[in-house]
Amino acid sequence: QVQLVESGGGLVQPGGSLRLSCVASGFRRDRYAIGWFRQAPGKEREGVSCISNSGISTYYSDSVKGRFTIARDNAKSTVYLQMNSLKPEDAAVYYCAAVWAFCRTAVAEYTYWGRGTQVTVSS
């Protein structure tokens, strides 16, 4: 059974940090790129970051570049998203998703999805 399970969300003050984790099971994790997406109320789901199956290539949206870092540990079947200098506009439900080999831009191209973890940024 394919599963992606996110964790690490929560409430944080502006300027604070969180580390999200995505644990994958039920498929060949080392063959899939993993992306992080987010969706705020009333907005479309948007891509935040992605890491290729090998971990060599990483991508970030302009809105998070320089503040977020993605990394993967294939031995632990886990992809991390370190989020620093959080802003109120970063608040959303964060999802991880898997796509074969290389990162893609379109949400629809991702095969497997987690259920999400809530990130709230507020003082």
Side-chain angles (χ1 to χ4, degrees):
Q1 181 180 359
V2 174
Q3 270 195 317
L4 290 171
V5 180
E6 304 94 337
S7 63
L11 172 64
V12 64
Q13 292 185 343
S17 298
L18 284 174
R19 188 177 79 158
L20 305 184
S21 298
C22 171
V23 178
S25 62
F27 62 99
R28 284 291 303 270
R29 282 87 66 189
D30 60 334
R31 299 290 180 90
Y32 284 78
I34 301 294
W36 282 98
F37 295 79
R38 67 187 181 188
Q39 188 166 18
K43 295 188 176 181
E44 291 187 356
R45 192 168 297 188
E46 63 171 351
V48 174
S49 182
C50 185
I51 187 165
S52 63
N53 60 332
S54 66
I56 292 176
S57 300
T58 58
Y59 301 93
Y60 300 92
S61 67
D62 288 342
S63 62
V64 307
K65 201 171 294 181
R67 300 187 297 121
F68 291 11
T69 304
I70 192 169
R72 71 187 296 160
D73 184 340
N74 282 341
K76 295 183 178 180
S77 302
T78 303
V79 172
Y80 304 97
L81 185 68
Q82 178 67 43
M83 306 188 297
N84 298 330
S85 302
L86 282 161
K87 305 175 181 180
E89 52 263 42
D90 294 318
V93 177
Y94 282 71
Y95 301 89
C96 65
V99 62
W100 179 260
F102 304 108
C103 292
R104 308 285 194 275
T105 302
V107 170
E109 294 190 85
Y110 285 73
T111 307
Y112 306 121
W113 288 85
R115 293 187 176 183
T117 184
Q118 177 72 50
V119 171
T120 303
V121 184
S122 175
S123 55

